[in-house]
Amino acid sequence: MPQTSDDSIPVPGRNEALPEGVSSAHILVVDDMPIMRKMIGMCLERGGFKNITFAEDGDVALQRIAETAPDLVILDINMPRLSGYDVCKKLRADPATASLPILVQSASETAEERVEVFAVGATDFVSKPINHPELLARVCMHLENRFLIRSLSDFQDRMHSELKMAREMQHSLLPEDHIISAVEDIGSASVEAFYKASFELGGDLWGTWPLPGNKLGIYVLDVTGHGVGAALNTFSLHATMARFEDKKLDPAEFLTSLNSSLVGSFALGRFATMFYGVLDCDTDELTYAGAGAPRPIIFGPAGSRALDSSGLPIAIVKSATYENLTDRLEPGESMFCYSDVLVEAEQPDGSILGEDGLVSWIEEAAESGDRTTVVKRLLDRFYADQDEHLPDDLTAVAIHRSKVTNNFDQDSSMPPKVVVISTDDSPLFDYYEGLQAPGLDVERTTLATHESGLQQAEFPNLSAVVIDGAAGYEAAQKKHAIIDPAFVDAGGPVVLVLNGEPDKADPILSFDRVKYFDGQKGVDALRRFLAEEADDFVRICKLKKALEDRAPEEALSLEGSYRFASRKEAQKFAMMFSQASSDPVPLAIGLSELFLNAIEHGCLEIGHDEKGQLIENGLLNEEVVRRRSSEKYRQRYATVNVEHTETSLVFRVEDPGKGFDYKAYLSSENGHDKKHGRGIAMANGCFSRLEYQGNGNIVEAEFELQ
Amino acid sequence: MEYRIEKNDSDTTVVFTGDITFSENVSFRQILKELAESDVDTCTFDLTNVGMVDSAGLGMFLIAKEQADTAGWKLSVSGAQGHVASMLKLTKLSDLLAG
């Protein structure tokens, strides 16, 4: 062990004491000769080093290094067993010690030996006999280099991880999945989005949101410049947008407000280009305003066109105003928004793609396959010739409106129409006035009026017919005269209101497909009953229509697990699976019932009474959208597992809900009268086997294939 | 990007060649420094031989415009075509830099 000594040796070239980091550096001295270890140790101590350890051969050295990595090794070359050369090689082969400074000391000093020392990876060389000041100078130099490099590389690591975090934070500004899916539901559309922040951080952002009145908003923006500054400006723009919730229906006003509050907060020469559009999904009208963003492209069966997004970028001129322009985004069309790097990046031939080039790429991509994956094909082509690390962010977003517009979540147009038929002098005429509700459009008519004028006029706009008991008898006789047979054939609900239970001997029972309602239960119960019947009927009509409009598809293998969270997805899967049957309608209806139950009752915990009330008030869709975007329900989804046997399809639907008392339901003869019964009764007719399991949150349904 | 400054009394023209993008930041600032040090009444950025300008490039024009307004000289751009012309039009900076 080294002894302490007072005679300190000055390190050549140094007037001051060693800095703390260097003097407390851990130095390992490896030598097989005790006298050499002692001498080198003393030299280092006198030079001011405080943390010195020793090893008597190569094996022990490697073991010590593995236990605690030193900051520097002083290594003898000629040792028995493991030589200094071998120790060097082993240390260099291990990534943990690949850059550890190794100072080799040796008595022989041929030119070949020096070369060999550096060849095995030594950092430096001192010859024996050891010149103490020289040893100290070299040790100091290598330790200082090491600390400098370490602090630089620590700094680099830190910057690296901070930039990574900034990129992740920028990503977190992008719209969340549940928002996108709410927008897709409103617009009967699919959103295809690609966003890649550049390595050096950039200022791109896009977003979308549902708006009241069956509208949706979508924007893309690009803050100039690169790096942290651009990213911070993007955050500030994003935060400012939240202040103008009330302006989101009016694109020009929205941009004007953003501009006037951001002028002055961006550095000189910095600005943001932006496009913001609002789509009215009932009228398909698109209102938009531009602040110099690349021109969005609308494409579809009628070809393509660019929207005029010209305008002063945000944050340049205080008094800038923006103008609303209008266009249309029809079902079957797509709107594509993108950031400028897509048209400005250098192509292999040195040219840039430009807008014209992009439009022809879009058209070619649209022709080469499914419209809803155009962005993917477009970007595959773009990246085929581009470095992964573009100098700027790349944003490419398309909203593809589906061709078939029917959509369960989008019934905002008209409430279901219910016609009440009674005799001219029915004492119940006033009673039916109570049927009027926001979710129902009730028309009262007398038999006389009906016979003369309204007959057969209503379907397909009719959703339910109510026949007052007294008049009902007569109506039954003349059923084809007063109720459109097409309505009856389509399964349209005809509700006969009686005073008490139906008398089975009554000839009126010959009118099949009539549903009876006991008028004594009161008009409120009748209204609920009608609202639910009408809602089911409208939905089934739409499902049938969608199946008719659906283009025939290649037979697919359906086996597997699928998950769904929106009514739209439920409809999509029901339609997709139904293609397995040669008569898809009953299967689609049955599945749609099971899937909707899983979403509404299971995922979203909408109670049965609650659902009836929502339908009555025309608020069911709104409530579904609201719950799906709430923190509590956002992550909940239902799954369906499909199994193909030789003769049948077996669907196992599972939801995260509490389930229900299906045993009570199944044991009761009057099951369909109970509150859970409606959907199940409908599904029951479609499947050969319907079996509830678990708490009733799992249902297995078997469909016989012909 | 390369540039050449041509002086004709107090009328100055900066002739640009190549692309004006973010990476030209440093040379652009050099131009502004040279303009600040010389006696300028009007200055024209000749963009005839510029193939591409990105949004950072447009930002540099705005910085030049600010410098011109502060120092009391006039700045205009001329000769823009193709991508450069459409960028100036899209962002309506063509109006702001009309001179």
Tab-separated table of all heavy atoms in Angstrom, chain A residues 408 411 414-419 435 437 439-442 459-466 487 490-495 515 526-543 567 593 611-612 615-616 620 678 682:
chain	number	residue	atom	x	y	z
A	408	PHE	N	-75.504	5.227	-38.516
A	408	PHE	CA	-76.326	5.213	-37.306
A	408	PHE	C	-76.107	6.426	-36.431
A	408	PHE	O	-76.984	6.844	-35.718
A	408	PHE	CB	-75.990	3.981	-36.477
A	408	PHE	CG	-76.350	2.718	-37.173
A	408	PHE	CD1	-75.621	1.570	-36.980
A	408	PHE	CD2	-77.429	2.686	-38.036
A	408	PHE	CE1	-75.956	0.405	-37.622
A	408	PHE	CE2	-77.768	1.521	-38.680
A	408	PHE	CZ	-77.025	0.374	-38.480
A	411	ASP	N	-78.213	10.880	-37.289
A	411	ASP	CA	-79.640	10.917	-37.597
A	411	ASP	C	-80.193	12.295	-37.317
A	411	ASP	O	-81.302	12.453	-36.871
A	411	ASP	CB	-80.384	9.909	-36.731
A	411	ASP	CG	-80.125	8.493	-37.201
A	411	ASP	OD1	-79.758	8.324	-38.371
A	411	ASP	OD2	-80.288	7.588	-36.398
A	414	MET	N	-83.984	14.250	-39.649
A	414	MET	CA	-85.405	14.297	-39.321
A	414	MET	C	-85.709	13.263	-38.248
A	414	MET	O	-85.225	12.145	-38.318
A	414	MET	CB	-86.218	13.952	-40.571
A	414	MET	CG	-86.050	14.927	-41.712
A	414	MET	SD	-86.907	16.448	-41.387
A	414	MET	CE	-88.569	15.979	-41.865
A	415	PRO	N	-86.539	13.625	-37.292
A	415	PRO	CA	-86.957	12.596	-36.344
A	415	PRO	C	-87.905	11.613	-37.046
A	415	PRO	O	-88.552	11.973	-38.043
A	415	PRO	CB	-87.698	13.383	-35.257
A	415	PRO	CG	-88.076	14.674	-35.871
A	415	PRO	CD	-87.133	14.936	-36.996
A	416	PRO	N	-88.016	10.370	-36.559
A	416	PRO	CA	-88.884	9.396	-37.211
A	416	PRO	C	-90.335	9.873	-37.235
A	416	PRO	O	-90.808	10.504	-36.293
A	416	PRO	CB	-88.737	8.156	-36.320
A	416	PRO	CG	-87.533	8.369	-35.504
A	416	PRO	CD	-87.312	9.840	-35.412
A	417	LYS	N	-90.995	9.547	-38.322
A	417	LYS	CA	-92.374	9.993	-38.516
A	417	LYS	C	-93.333	8.905	-38.026
A	417	LYS	O	-93.214	7.738	-38.416
A	417	LYS	CB	-92.579	10.219	-40.014
A	417	LYS	CG	-93.985	10.523	-40.414
A	417	LYS	CD	-94.078	11.958	-40.823
A	417	LYS	CE	-95.485	12.279	-41.295
A	417	LYS	NZ	-95.677	13.713	-41.307
A	418	VAL	N	-94.283	9.300	-37.177
A	418	VAL	CA	-95.284	8.365	-36.673
A	418	VAL	C	-96.661	8.892	-37.058
A	418	VAL	O	-96.962	10.059	-36.870
A	418	VAL	CB	-95.190	8.249	-35.131
A	418	VAL	CG1	-96.296	7.348	-34.612
A	418	VAL	CG2	-93.814	7.737	-34.734
A	419	VAL	N	-97.477	8.025	-37.647
A	419	VAL	CA	-98.832	8.441	-37.995
A	419	VAL	C	-99.813	7.743	-37.061
A	419	VAL	O	-99.739	6.531	-36.854
A	419	VAL	CB	-99.147	8.087	-39.466
A	419	VAL	CG1	-100.636	8.300	-39.760
A	419	VAL	CG2	-98.303	8.933	-40.398
A	435	LEU	N	-98.206	12.220	-27.387
A	435	LEU	CA	-97.121	11.462	-28.020
A	435	LEU	C	-96.013	12.370	-28.553
A	435	LEU	O	-94.904	11.927	-28.799
A	435	LEU	CB	-97.662	10.636	-29.197
A	435	LEU	CG	-98.523	9.433	-28.834
A	435	LEU	CD1	-98.981	8.726	-30.090
A	435	LEU	CD2	-97.724	8.470	-27.962
A	437	ALA	N	-92.973	14.428	-29.108
A	437	ALA	CA	-91.699	14.483	-28.371
A	437	ALA	C	-90.630	14.953	-29.345
A	437	ALA	O	-90.794	14.826	-30.554
A	437	ALA	CB	-91.350	13.108	-27.823
A	439	GLY	N	-87.950	13.677	-30.230
A	439	GLY	CA	-87.398	12.616	-31.070
A	439	GLY	C	-88.437	11.977	-31.974
A	439	GLY	O	-88.126	11.018	-32.681
A	440	LEU	N	-89.643	12.450	-31.956
A	440	LEU	CA	-90.712	11.860	-32.785
A	440	LEU	C	-91.467	12.949	-33.521
A	440	LEU	O	-91.765	13.991	-32.958
A	440	LEU	CB	-91.720	11.113	-31.893
A	440	LEU	CG	-91.337	9.759	-31.307
A	440	LEU	CD1	-92.508	9.218	-30.503
A	440	LEU	CD2	-90.952	8.779	-32.405
A	441	ASP	N	-91.801	12.662	-34.765
A	441	ASP	CA	-92.640	13.586	-35.520
A	441	ASP	C	-94.005	12.909	-35.667
A	441	ASP	O	-94.163	11.974	-36.447
A	441	ASP	CB	-91.981	13.834	-36.883
A	441	ASP	CG	-92.870	14.676	-37.779
A	441	ASP	OD1	-93.820	15.312	-37.262
A	441	ASP	OD2	-92.621	14.681	-39.007
A	442	VAL	N	-94.978	13.349	-34.859
A	442	VAL	CA	-96.266	12.648	-34.808
A	442	VAL	C	-97.311	13.392	-35.631
A	442	VAL	O	-97.465	14.607	-35.513
A	442	VAL	CB	-96.751	12.523	-33.349
A	442	VAL	CG1	-98.089	11.788	-33.304
A	442	VAL	CG2	-95.719	11.782	-32.524
A	459	PHE	N	-94.507	5.656	-46.977
A	459	PHE	CA	-93.258	4.894	-46.949
A	459	PHE	C	-92.369	5.355	-48.094
A	459	PHE	O	-92.866	5.613	-49.152
A	459	PHE	CB	-93.589	3.396	-47.055
A	459	PHE	CG	-92.400	2.524	-46.819
A	459	PHE	CD1	-91.840	2.423	-45.560
A	459	PHE	CD2	-91.834	1.816	-47.857
A	459	PHE	CE1	-90.739	1.623	-45.331
A	459	PHE	CE2	-90.723	1.015	-47.635
A	459	PHE	CZ	-90.176	0.920	-46.372
A	460	PRO	N	-91.074	5.498	-48.015
A	460	PRO	CA	-90.244	5.034	-46.891
A	460	PRO	C	-90.021	6.045	-45.772
A	460	PRO	O	-89.166	5.804	-44.930
A	460	PRO	CB	-88.938	4.721	-47.588
A	460	PRO	CG	-88.852	5.696	-48.697
A	460	PRO	CD	-90.252	5.970	-49.123
A	461	ASN	N	-90.753	7.162	-45.790
A	461	ASN	CA	-90.486	8.135	-44.721
A	461	ASN	C	-91.234	7.840	-43.434
A	461	ASN	O	-91.028	8.505	-42.437
A	461	ASN	CB	-90.847	9.536	-45.208
A	461	ASN	CG	-89.979	9.932	-46.381
A	461	ASN	OD1	-88.788	9.618	-46.393
A	461	ASN	ND2	-90.553	10.557	-47.382
A	462	LEU	N	-92.085	6.851	-43.486
A	462	LEU	CA	-92.884	6.512	-42.326
A	462	LEU	C	-92.101	5.578	-41.406
A	462	LEU	O	-91.430	4.659	-41.872
A	462	LEU	CB	-94.154	5.813	-42.838
A	462	LEU	CG	-95.247	5.500	-41.843
A	462	LEU	CD1	-95.765	6.786	-41.214
A	462	LEU	CD2	-96.376	4.771	-42.558
A	463	SER	N	-92.174	5.816	-40.107
A	463	SER	CA	-91.409	4.957	-39.201
A	463	SER	C	-92.276	4.103	-38.300
A	463	SER	O	-91.813	3.112	-37.766
A	463	SER	CB	-90.501	5.809	-38.327
A	463	SER	OG	-89.718	6.637	-39.136
A	464	ALA	N	-93.535	4.523	-38.066
A	464	ALA	CA	-94.437	3.709	-37.250
A	464	ALA	C	-95.873	4.176	-37.495
A	464	ALA	O	-96.109	5.336	-37.815
A	464	ALA	CB	-94.104	3.823	-35.772
A	465	VAL	N	-96.806	3.244	-37.359
A	465	VAL	CA	-98.219	3.590	-37.483
A	465	VAL	C	-98.905	3.176	-36.188
A	465	VAL	O	-98.671	2.081	-35.680
A	465	VAL	CB	-98.867	2.847	-38.675
A	465	VAL	CG1	-100.389	3.047	-38.669
A	465	VAL	CG2	-98.271	3.331	-39.990
A	466	VAL	N	-99.711	4.064	-35.654
A	466	VAL	CA	-100.477	3.739	-34.456
A	466	VAL	C	-101.949	3.705	-34.856
A	466	VAL	O	-102.438	4.624	-35.510
A	466	VAL	CB	-100.285	4.813	-33.365
A	466	VAL	CG1	-101.147	4.487	-32.141
A	466	VAL	CG2	-98.824	4.901	-32.984
A	487	PHE	N	-94.558	-0.730	-46.539
A	487	PHE	CA	-94.180	-0.425	-45.154
A	487	PHE	C	-94.346	-1.668	-44.285
A	487	PHE	O	-93.468	-2.030	-43.498
A	487	PHE	CB	-95.053	0.728	-44.638
A	487	PHE	CG	-94.898	1.034	-43.186
A	487	PHE	CD1	-93.753	1.670	-42.709
A	487	PHE	CD2	-95.886	0.691	-42.260
A	487	PHE	CE1	-93.609	1.959	-41.361
A	487	PHE	CE2	-95.743	0.972	-40.919
A	487	PHE	CZ	-94.595	1.609	-40.469
A	490	ALA	N	-91.790	-4.342	-45.142
A	490	ALA	CA	-90.438	-4.030	-44.670
A	490	ALA	C	-90.325	-4.243	-43.164
A	490	ALA	O	-89.269	-4.021	-42.585
A	490	ALA	CB	-90.078	-2.599	-45.028
A	491	GLY	N	-91.441	-4.642	-42.533
A	491	GLY	CA	-91.392	-4.870	-41.083
A	491	GLY	C	-91.698	-3.615	-40.302
A	491	GLY	O	-91.395	-3.528	-39.116
A	492	GLY	N	-92.328	-2.623	-40.946
A	492	GLY	CA	-92.654	-1.374	-40.267
A	492	GLY	C	-93.610	-1.634	-39.114
A	492	GLY	O	-94.556	-2.395	-39.239
A	493	PRO	N	-93.332	-1.024	-37.968
A	493	PRO	CA	-94.166	-1.298	-36.804
A	493	PRO	C	-95.568	-0.681	-36.917
A	493	PRO	O	-95.706	0.506	-37.186
A	493	PRO	CB	-93.394	-0.668	-35.644
A	493	PRO	CG	-92.443	0.283	-36.258
A	493	PRO	CD	-92.200	-0.136	-37.670
A	494	VAL	N	-96.589	-1.548	-36.756
A	494	VAL	CA	-97.978	-1.096	-36.699
A	494	VAL	C	-98.452	-1.420	-35.289
A	494	VAL	O	-98.439	-2.582	-34.883
A	494	VAL	CB	-98.847	-1.836	-37.730
A	494	VAL	CG1	-100.301	-1.381	-37.623
A	494	VAL	CG2	-98.303	-1.595	-39.143
A	495	VAL	N	-98.775	-0.387	-34.533
A	495	VAL	CA	-99.111	-0.581	-33.126
A	495	VAL	C	-100.606	-0.342	-32.925
A	495	VAL	O	-101.123	0.733	-33.240
A	495	VAL	CB	-98.301	0.387	-32.238
A	495	VAL	CG1	-98.671	0.201	-30.775
A	495	VAL	CG2	-96.809	0.169	-32.455
A	515	LYS	N	-98.449	-5.027	-33.455
A	515	LYS	CA	-98.005	-5.076	-32.061
A	515	LYS	C	-99.090	-4.416	-31.226
A	515	LYS	O	-99.643	-3.393	-31.625
A	515	LYS	CB	-96.685	-4.319	-31.902
A	515	LYS	CG	-95.546	-4.961	-32.679
A	515	LYS	CD	-94.333	-4.058	-32.760
A	515	LYS	CE	-93.380	-4.555	-33.812
A	515	LYS	NZ	-92.358	-5.485	-33.285
A	526	LEU	N	-96.550	4.673	-23.963
A	526	LEU	CA	-96.750	4.470	-25.399
A	526	LEU	C	-95.707	5.232	-26.207
A	526	LEU	O	-95.147	4.739	-27.194
A	526	LEU	CB	-98.156	4.932	-25.807
A	526	LEU	CG	-98.475	4.830	-27.311
A	526	LEU	CD1	-98.334	3.387	-27.806
A	526	LEU	CD2	-99.879	5.353	-27.625
A	527	ARG	N	-95.411	6.439	-25.759
A	527	ARG	CA	-94.442	7.251	-26.478
A	527	ARG	C	-93.064	6.576	-26.478
A	527	ARG	O	-92.387	6.477	-27.487
A	527	ARG	CB	-94.349	8.632	-25.826
A	527	ARG	CG	-93.521	9.634	-26.630
A	527	ARG	CD	-93.590	11.005	-26.017
A	527	ARG	NE	-93.113	10.954	-24.654
A	527	ARG	CZ	-93.800	11.385	-23.596
A	527	ARG	NH1	-94.992	11.928	-23.753
A	527	ARG	NH2	-93.293	11.283	-22.395
A	528	ARG	N	-92.674	6.047	-25.327
A	528	ARG	CA	-91.389	5.359	-25.207
A	528	ARG	C	-91.369	4.143	-26.133
A	528	ARG	O	-90.412	3.898	-26.877
A	528	ARG	CB	-91.207	4.928	-23.741
A	528	ARG	CG	-89.980	4.096	-23.454
A	528	ARG	CD	-88.747	4.948	-23.387
A	528	ARG	NE	-88.945	6.133	-22.567
A	528	ARG	CZ	-88.767	6.175	-21.247
A	528	ARG	NH1	-88.390	5.098	-20.605
A	528	ARG	NH2	-88.944	7.284	-20.583
A	529	PHE	N	-92.475	3.391	-26.073
A	529	PHE	CA	-92.602	2.186	-26.881
A	529	PHE	C	-92.454	2.513	-28.372
A	529	PHE	O	-91.710	1.881	-29.106
A	529	PHE	CB	-93.977	1.556	-26.591
A	529	PHE	CG	-94.235	0.268	-27.311
A	529	PHE	CD1	-93.612	-0.908	-26.914
A	529	PHE	CD2	-95.116	0.213	-28.393
A	529	PHE	CE1	-93.855	-2.107	-27.576
A	529	PHE	CE2	-95.355	-0.976	-29.067
A	529	PHE	CZ	-94.723	-2.143	-28.651
A	530	LEU	N	-93.154	3.570	-28.788
A	530	LEU	CA	-93.102	3.967	-30.203
A	530	LEU	C	-91.703	4.440	-30.613
A	530	LEU	O	-91.210	4.112	-31.692
A	530	LEU	CB	-94.086	5.117	-30.458
A	530	LEU	CG	-95.540	4.715	-30.637
A	530	LEU	CD1	-96.391	5.969	-30.749
A	530	LEU	CD2	-95.702	3.858	-31.894
A	531	ALA	N	-91.106	5.215	-29.716
A	531	ALA	CA	-89.783	5.758	-30.036
A	531	ALA	C	-88.806	4.623	-30.275
A	531	ALA	O	-88.009	4.646	-31.222
A	531	ALA	CB	-89.295	6.654	-28.902
A	532	GLU	N	-88.869	3.583	-29.439
A	532	GLU	CA	-87.942	2.470	-29.583
A	532	GLU	C	-88.244	1.657	-30.837
A	532	GLU	O	-87.333	1.254	-31.563
A	532	GLU	CB	-87.984	1.583	-28.332
A	532	GLU	CG	-87.370	2.299	-27.137
A	532	GLU	CD	-87.449	1.495	-25.844
A	532	GLU	OE1	-88.115	0.438	-25.839
A	532	GLU	OE2	-86.857	1.933	-24.861
A	533	GLU	N	-89.543	1.429	-31.077
A	533	GLU	CA	-89.909	0.688	-32.289
A	533	GLU	C	-89.433	1.429	-33.540
A	533	GLU	O	-88.861	0.845	-34.455
A	533	GLU	CB	-91.443	0.518	-32.362
A	533	GLU	CG	-92.017	-0.473	-31.380
A	533	GLU	CD	-91.643	-1.916	-31.708
A	533	GLU	OE1	-91.304	-2.194	-32.883
A	533	GLU	OE2	-91.664	-2.766	-30.798
A	534	ALA	N	-89.687	2.726	-33.560
A	534	ALA	CA	-89.331	3.530	-34.727
A	534	ALA	C	-87.820	3.556	-34.923
A	534	ALA	O	-87.310	3.435	-36.038
A	534	ALA	CB	-89.881	4.948	-34.569
A	535	ASP	N	-87.099	3.680	-33.808
A	535	ASP	CA	-85.638	3.736	-33.872
A	535	ASP	C	-85.075	2.434	-34.475
A	535	ASP	O	-84.229	2.461	-35.363
A	535	ASP	CB	-85.085	3.951	-32.459
A	535	ASP	CG	-83.569	4.128	-32.453
A	535	ASP	OD1	-83.116	5.145	-33.005
A	535	ASP	OD2	-82.869	3.244	-31.937
A	536	ASP	N	-85.583	1.306	-33.994
A	536	ASP	CA	-85.134	0.019	-34.530
A	536	ASP	C	-85.444	-0.086	-36.020
A	536	ASP	O	-84.615	-0.517	-36.816
A	536	ASP	CB	-85.842	-1.135	-33.809
A	536	ASP	CG	-85.246	-1.372	-32.433
A	536	ASP	OD1	-84.107	-0.921	-32.215
A	536	ASP	OD2	-85.920	-1.997	-31.597
A	537	PHE	N	-86.668	0.309	-36.373
A	537	PHE	CA	-87.096	0.155	-37.761
A	537	PHE	C	-86.245	1.023	-38.702
A	537	PHE	O	-85.763	0.563	-39.736
A	537	PHE	CB	-88.582	0.511	-37.885
A	537	PHE	CG	-89.094	0.440	-39.297
A	537	PHE	CD1	-89.020	-0.751	-40.013
A	537	PHE	CD2	-89.627	1.560	-39.927
A	537	PHE	CE1	-89.470	-0.825	-41.324
A	537	PHE	CE2	-90.074	1.494	-41.240
A	537	PHE	CZ	-90.004	0.303	-41.937
A	538	VAL	N	-86.005	2.268	-38.284
A	538	VAL	CA	-85.206	3.176	-39.114
A	538	VAL	C	-83.800	2.612	-39.304
A	538	VAL	O	-83.247	2.593	-40.395
A	538	VAL	CB	-85.131	4.580	-38.457
A	538	VAL	CG1	-84.079	5.444	-39.133
A	538	VAL	CG2	-86.493	5.251	-38.509
A	539	ARG	N	-83.274	2.087	-38.212
A	539	ARG	CA	-81.917	1.560	-38.261
A	539	ARG	C	-81.820	0.350	-39.196
A	539	ARG	O	-80.900	0.226	-40.003
A	539	ARG	CB	-81.489	1.177	-36.850
A	539	ARG	CG	-80.019	0.991	-36.667
A	539	ARG	CD	-79.628	1.109	-35.207
A	539	ARG	NE	-80.581	0.461	-34.325
A	539	ARG	CZ	-80.684	-0.865	-34.214
A	539	ARG	NH1	-79.905	-1.641	-34.914
A	539	ARG	NH2	-81.566	-1.390	-33.395
A	540	ILE	N	-82.810	-0.520	-39.082
A	540	ILE	CA	-82.779	-1.729	-39.918
A	540	ILE	C	-82.942	-1.362	-41.393
A	540	ILE	O	-82.283	-1.922	-42.269
A	540	ILE	CB	-83.842	-2.731	-39.432
A	540	ILE	CG1	-83.367	-3.333	-38.109
A	540	ILE	CG2	-84.085	-3.825	-40.455
A	540	ILE	CD1	-84.424	-4.079	-37.360
A	541	CYS	N	-83.819	-0.390	-41.655
A	541	CYS	CA	-83.983	0.053	-43.055
A	541	CYS	C	-82.651	0.553	-43.621
A	541	CYS	O	-82.286	0.253	-44.751
A	541	CYS	CB	-85.006	1.188	-43.147
A	541	CYS	SG	-86.678	0.616	-42.977
A	542	LYS	N	-81.955	1.313	-42.775
A	542	LYS	CA	-80.679	1.862	-43.237
A	542	LYS	C	-79.659	0.757	-43.475
A	542	LYS	O	-78.878	0.799	-44.431
A	542	LYS	CB	-80.119	2.836	-42.205
A	542	LYS	CG	-80.868	4.142	-42.203
A	542	LYS	CD	-80.236	5.092	-41.238
A	542	LYS	CE	-80.853	6.471	-41.363
A	542	LYS	NZ	-80.169	7.432	-40.512
A	543	LEU	N	-79.675	-0.223	-42.585
A	543	LEU	CA	-78.740	-1.337	-42.721
A	543	LEU	C	-79.010	-2.086	-44.029
A	543	LEU	O	-78.082	-2.419	-44.773
A	543	LEU	CB	-78.898	-2.263	-41.524
A	543	LEU	CG	-77.815	-3.313	-41.332
A	543	LEU	CD1	-76.477	-2.648	-41.067
A	543	LEU	CD2	-78.165	-4.226	-40.167
A	567	ARG	N	-70.721	3.099	-32.791
A	567	ARG	CA	-71.862	2.507	-33.487
A	567	ARG	C	-71.529	2.314	-34.949
A	567	ARG	O	-71.995	1.380	-35.599
A	567	ARG	CB	-73.095	3.412	-33.305
A	567	ARG	CG	-73.619	3.292	-31.896
A	567	ARG	CD	-74.694	4.291	-31.481
A	567	ARG	NE	-75.729	4.623	-32.413
A	567	ARG	CZ	-77.028	4.313	-32.218
A	567	ARG	NH1	-77.393	3.585	-31.214
A	567	ARG	NH2	-77.929	4.737	-33.079
A	593	GLU	N	-77.715	-5.842	-33.750
A	593	GLU	CA	-78.368	-5.800	-32.433
A	593	GLU	C	-77.389	-6.138	-31.318
A	593	GLU	O	-77.281	-5.434	-30.321
A	593	GLU	CB	-79.522	-6.813	-32.380
A	593	GLU	CG	-80.791	-6.346	-33.028
A	593	GLU	CD	-81.266	-5.018	-32.481
A	593	GLU	OE1	-81.140	-4.799	-31.256
A	593	GLU	OE2	-81.726	-4.177	-33.273
A	611	LYS	N	-81.955	4.750	-22.246
A	611	LYS	CA	-81.880	4.730	-23.699
A	611	LYS	C	-83.226	5.134	-24.306
A	611	LYS	O	-83.293	5.940	-25.227
A	611	LYS	CB	-81.458	3.341	-24.192
A	611	LYS	CG	-81.364	3.285	-25.711
A	611	LYS	CD	-80.967	1.928	-26.259
A	611	LYS	CE	-81.124	1.939	-27.775
A	611	LYS	NZ	-80.851	0.643	-28.382
A	612	GLY	N	-84.301	4.561	-23.743
A	612	GLY	CA	-85.627	4.895	-24.254
A	612	GLY	C	-85.877	6.394	-24.161
A	612	GLY	O	-86.350	7.030	-25.099
A	615	ILE	N	-83.865	8.260	-26.772
A	615	ILE	CA	-84.454	8.129	-28.116
A	615	ILE	C	-85.652	9.063	-28.244
A	615	ILE	O	-85.796	9.798	-29.218
A	615	ILE	CB	-84.900	6.674	-28.378
A	615	ILE	CG1	-83.686	5.748	-28.446
A	615	ILE	CG2	-85.700	6.577	-29.670
A	615	ILE	CD1	-84.050	4.286	-28.642
A	616	GLU	N	-86.491	9.037	-27.219
A	616	GLU	CA	-87.682	9.876	-27.215
A	616	GLU	C	-87.351	11.342	-27.437
A	616	GLU	O	-88.041	12.057	-28.126
A	616	GLU	CB	-88.302	9.770	-25.815
A	616	GLU	CG	-89.719	9.351	-25.775
A	616	GLU	CD	-90.100	9.223	-24.320
A	616	GLU	OE1	-89.823	8.169	-23.708
A	616	GLU	OE2	-90.643	10.183	-23.794
A	620	LEU	N	-80.099	10.336	-28.336
A	620	LEU	CA	-79.263	9.141	-28.161
A	620	LEU	C	-77.894	9.309	-28.815
A	620	LEU	O	-76.871	9.045	-28.199
A	620	LEU	CB	-79.982	7.901	-28.724
A	620	LEU	CG	-79.176	6.609	-28.613
A	620	LEU	CD1	-78.876	6.249	-27.171
A	620	LEU	CD2	-79.882	5.446	-29.297
A	678	ARG	N	-85.880	-6.347	-25.877
A	678	ARG	CA	-86.135	-5.934	-27.259
A	678	ARG	C	-85.047	-6.401	-28.232
A	678	ARG	O	-85.321	-7.129	-29.189
A	678	ARG	CB	-86.257	-4.428	-27.339
A	678	ARG	CG	-87.431	-3.866	-26.592
A	678	ARG	CD	-87.412	-2.352	-26.707
A	678	ARG	NE	-87.153	-1.973	-28.096
A	678	ARG	CZ	-88.067	-2.029	-29.042
A	678	ARG	NH1	-89.278	-2.431	-28.750
A	678	ARG	NH2	-87.772	-1.691	-30.272
A	682	MET	N	-85.010	-9.552	-31.020
A	682	MET	CA	-84.730	-9.348	-32.444
A	682	MET	C	-83.575	-10.222	-32.901
A	682	MET	O	-83.609	-10.838	-33.957
A	682	MET	CB	-84.389	-7.883	-32.720
A	682	MET	CG	-85.624	-7.006	-32.716
A	682	MET	SD	-85.179	-5.299	-32.972
A	682	MET	CE	-84.705	-5.323	-34.672
